[in-house]
């Protein structure tokens, strides 16, 4: 029995297997996921496993190593989030998101830090040796909203797109702030004296971290797009480039002490448009599936490890401190959201209602990032107290807030997202309105969001597309693409219905050889579509808007995958009758 | 203001719908628009305030209501003002929006599909009510609003 030889990969595989089997188990009981979110169940499984290991070995089970978490488990999830992020709502709300992420997090950190320091001053709790700096350090790691937890919970409750993107975008972007503050306070802890110069250096560092992350990400993204321009003959390894470049951007950013999460998100968003135009259809599907698979596995593993690590002797239970931590987290988040929303609503047309505000405040879940950060703290005598407090906060937010958010959403009747896909007509009209609004803005001299969209599109078509797209002469407007996709589906349905034989000759809208032809009523053969002049289509972003019937971002399904076939069949039958 | 004044705005020259937007400012058959007319057209794009909604249900609807906003957009499509968007009018707008390199047959198919999706009374044209219905899921109030002068 040569266990030593295979021990490490064997154990890793066993953990992943356990995670996946647990996932299957939950979905077997249909009722369960609607009441209890999956993350809770996974933590529960982790708790059981931890208990078993503890009972068997009579010592603490393996604590999740922070390195493993930050280097292996977190990047797939963030990459998945960044790649499938619906860019239009994201950029429309970018101001609000940044405001929440930056100002909100700073507010939370200082609020929690100072109030906990105030609690420590009370003699009855025997906490006086926890200094202000320690409290601020603790505040900085516990204040950040966690994207993994938010994703896990929010995708099951299907709130409207704007709300989803606000909370989600905030949780992703506050990483930059968290990284800076955490490192700042940690180095302050080790310095004997602190001068005001250091504080200013800290503030400056924040900009460096954030912008540096974006730059690193974008440069890797564009390099990836450029590389895929030349992969025409080796289609098989195309998906690999996407993953390699994204992971490299994350690691590079971490190496330079910049924000890895921001880097990987900007990499994914930057390269998505060009890579999808360059790689083949099959590679594209592969990329999507692999991303979903890896992020799913990571997600499950994180929650299970959270549960496992809770059991053990790592904790010092000082209940007043812990309870006040939980209370302050909630209170400061609520206050922060209220104040910030008040400012946001003065400047924006569409206001964030108080129901939305409540959901934003309540949806501030903490998760595994806090947990790993607390383990990374230098060993000082109160570390176990912080670990205990972090564990309780995470468990509280995930279990209590996670389980009750769905009934609350129903109770408050928050506006849900629309369930259907945009039709061709809708898309045309929306594009029409975009042009109209851009024109009106120009007339009134107003620099609205359409102005910047215009500028970006101009820059894109003039420079970027020439460099990064292999076949520059093939960009199509999204209206035509949507139409093509629908027609392709119809063709597939027709073929399945065995009626392809007697249709009339069809014009082919698509030029590349690996796509099927379409049936239609028209008889002529059209030539291959020539160069589309993109200058007229300045406002056509989202070249590949896929027809979607579900929420824009979903952990478990790919966008555009969930049963449009029934609808297509109906439309097809109706059209055939009208022929 | 005359049409030439509008056409001097450079961004409008590259806007596909530039000419139609300019025409929307000028009332029937005239070549000059004064400040009042200019303001009236731009008033369609004022954001809808909450406190105005409950005000005056008996009087005429304010210019920036959802229905009037949509009507403004509808009139940009409907050149001959017969309260319907015919296939030709739709084709013209599509041609303006997608450029010169899609063939007429493709464009025709797209137009046919659009009309087919929207058409409910079978007249192969989109009436205002059908237009409204197509856009009922789109947040028009927010999309067609510009916060002027704040």
């Amino acid at each position: 029995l040569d266990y030593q030889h295979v021990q490490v990969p064997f154990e890793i595989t066993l953990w992943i297997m356990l995670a996946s089997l647990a996932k299957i188990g939950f979905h077997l009981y249909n009722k369960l996921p609607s009441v209890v979110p999956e993350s809770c169940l996974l933590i529960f499984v982790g708790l059981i496993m931890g208990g078993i290991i503890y009972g068997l070995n009579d010592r603490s089970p393996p604590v999740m190593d922070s390195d493993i978490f930050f280097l292996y488990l977190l990047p797939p999830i963030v990459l998945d989030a960044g790649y499938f992020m619906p860019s239009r709502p994201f950029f429309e709300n970018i101001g609000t998101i940044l405001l929440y992420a930056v100002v909100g997090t700073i507010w939370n950190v200082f609020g929690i830090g100072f109030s906990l320091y105030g609690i420590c001053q009370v003699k009855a709790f025997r906490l006086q040796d926890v200094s202000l700096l320690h409290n601020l350090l603790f505040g900085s790691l516990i204040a950040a909203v966690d994207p993994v937890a938010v994703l896990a919970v929010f995708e099951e409750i299907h709130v409207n797109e704007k709300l989803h993107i606000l909370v989600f975008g905030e949780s992703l972007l506050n990483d930059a702030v968290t990284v800076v503050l955490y490192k700042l306070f940690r180095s302050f802890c080790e310095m004997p004296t602190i001068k005001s110069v250091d504080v200013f250096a800290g503030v400056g560092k924040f900009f460096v971290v954030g912008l540096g992350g974006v730059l690193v990400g974008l440069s890797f993204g564009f390099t990836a797009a450029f590389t895929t321009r030349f992969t025409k003959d080796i289609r098989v390894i195309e998906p690999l480039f996407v993953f390699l470049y994204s992971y490299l951007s994350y690691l590079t950013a971490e190496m330079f002490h910049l924000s890895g999460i921001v880097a990987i998100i900007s990499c994914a968003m930057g390269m998505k448009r060009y890579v999808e135009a360059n790689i083949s259809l099959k590679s594209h599907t592969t990329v999507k599936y692999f991303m979903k698979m890896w992020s799913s596995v990571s997600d499950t593993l994180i929650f299970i490890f959270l549960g496992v690590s809770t059991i053990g002797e790592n904790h010092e239970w000082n209940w007043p401190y812990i309870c006040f931590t939980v209370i302050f987290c909630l209170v400061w988040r609520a206050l922060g959201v209220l104040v910030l929303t008040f400012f946001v609503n003065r400047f924006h047309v569409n206001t964030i209602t108080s129901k939305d505000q409540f959901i934003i405040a309540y949806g501030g879940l903490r998760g595994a990032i806090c947990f790993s950060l607390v383990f990374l703290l230098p060993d000082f005598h109160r570390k176990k107290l912080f670990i205990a407090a972090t564990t309780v906060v995470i468990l509280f937010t995930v279990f209590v807030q996670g389980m009750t958010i769905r009934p609350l959403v129903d109770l408050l009747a928050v506006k849900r997202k629309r369930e259907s896909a945009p039709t061709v007509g809708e898309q045309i009209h929306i594009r029409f309105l975009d042009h109209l609004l851009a024109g009106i803005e120009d007339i009134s001299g107003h620099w609205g969001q359409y102005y910047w969209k215009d500028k970006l599109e101009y820059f894109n078509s003039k420079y970027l597309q020439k460099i990064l797209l292999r076949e520059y002469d093939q960009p199509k407007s999204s209206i035509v693409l949507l139409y093509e996709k629908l027609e392709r589906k119809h063709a597939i349905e027709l073929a399945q219905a065995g009626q392809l034989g007697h249709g009339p000759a069809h014009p082919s809208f698509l030029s590349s050889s690996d796509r099927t032809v379409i049936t239609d009523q028209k008889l002529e053969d059209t030539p291959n579509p020539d160069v589309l002049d993109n200058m007229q289509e300045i406002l056509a972003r989202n070249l590949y808007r896929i027809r979607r019937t579900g929420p824009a971002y979903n952990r478990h399904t790919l966008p555009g995958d969930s049963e449009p076939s029934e609808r297509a069949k109906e439309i097809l039958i109706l059209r055939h009758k009208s022929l | 203001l005359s049409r030439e004044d509008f056409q001097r705005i450079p961004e409008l020259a590259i806007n596909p719908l530039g000419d139609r937007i300019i025409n929307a400012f000028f009332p029937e058959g005239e070549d000059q628009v004064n400040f009042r007319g200019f303001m009236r057209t731009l008033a369609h794009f004022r954001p809808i305030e909450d406190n105005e909604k409950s005000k005056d249900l008996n009087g005429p609807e304010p210019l920036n209501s959802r229905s009037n906003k949509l009507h403004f957009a509808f009139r940009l499509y409907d050149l001959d003002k017969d309260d319907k968007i015919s296939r030709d009018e739709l084709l013209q707008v599509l041609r303006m929006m997608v450029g010169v390199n899609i063939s007429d047959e493709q464009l025709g198919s797209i137009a046919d599909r659009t009309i087919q999706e929207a058409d409910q009374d079978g007249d192969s044209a989109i009436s205002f009510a059908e237009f409204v219905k197509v856009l009922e899921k789109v947040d028009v109030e927010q999309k067609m609003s510009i916060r002027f002068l704040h």
Side-chain angles (χ1 to χ4, degrees), chain A residues 549-563:
Chain A
T549 54
Y553 179 73
N554 195 319
R555 170 53 54 80
H556 301 293
T557 59
L558 293 176
D561 233 23
S562 37
E563 37 164 78

Side-chain angles (χ1 to χ4, degrees), chain A residues 52-271:
Chain A
I52 295 177
I53 298 182
Y54 189 62
L56 287 181
N57 288 347
D58 203 23
R59 58 180 170 81
S60 306
V63 166
M64 176 162 67
D65 191 7
S66 294
D67 267 350
I68 296 182
F69 173 70
F70 277 113
L71 290 181
Y72 300 114
L73 292 179
L74 187 61
I77 299 181
V78 185
L79 176 61
D80 178 45
Y83 197 80
F84 291 109
M85 173 94 75
S87 41
R88 179 183 263 236
F90 182 70
F91 285 113
E92 278 178 5
N93 291 309
I94 187 88
T96 323
I97 292 179
L98 275 176
L99 193 66
Y100 279 131
V102 175
V103 179
T105 313
I106 295 181
W107 168 283
N108 278 333
V109 166
F110 282 107
I112 295 177
F114 279 116
S115 24
L116 280 177
Y117 182 60
I119 293 297
C120 289
Q121 298 303 97
V122 178
K123 287 206 168 56
F125 298 145
R126 288 170 286 135
L127 286 169
Q128 263 154 345
D129 52 340
V130 188
S131 68
L132 174 65
L133 215 45
H134 286 141
N135 277 312
L136 282 175
L137 182 58
F138 182 62
S140 75
L141 62 89
I142 200 108
V145 178
D146 186 74
V148 179
V150 164
L151 253 182
V153 168
F154 262 69
E155 68 163 3
E156 289 172 8
I157 58 177
H158 296 190
V159 290
N160 64 19
E161 196 176 58
K162 179 161 157 254
L163 195 52
H164 188 181
I165 204 84
L166 276 179
V167 183
F168 185 43
E170 180 205 341
S171 66
L172 284 174
L173 291 182
N174 66 16
D175 177 64
V177 182
T178 312
V179 162
V180 171
L181 284 175
Y182 179 76
K183 294 202 166 119
L184 195 68
F185 286 130
R186 194 158 131 191
S187 49
F188 279 179
C189 276
E190 288 155 15
M191 281 168 32
T193 53
I194 306 169
K195 307 179 220 78
S196 52
V197 172
D198 299 318
V199 179
F200 281 121
V203 171
K205 199 158 178 241
F206 157 67
F207 285 107
V208 170
V209 163
L211 292 174
V214 171
L215 275 174
V216 167
L218 282 179
S219 45
F220 273 102
F222 288 142
T223 319
F226 190 64
T227 316
T228 52
R229 188 178 169 182
F230 302 108
T231 58
K232 188 159 174 201
D233 298 319
I234 30 166
R235 295 272 185 197
V236 203
I237 61 170
E238 270 174 349
L240 200 56
F241 283 118
V242 173
F243 294 113
L244 286 179
Y245 275 106
S246 322
Y247 196 42
L248 266 181
S249 73
Y250 181 77
L251 293 174
T252 314
E254 288 291 322
M255 183 170 71
F256 286 117
H257 293 292
L258 304 171
S259 167
I261 293 186
V262 173
I264 207 174
I265 290 177
S266 30
C267 178
M269 291 180 90
M271 84 174 155

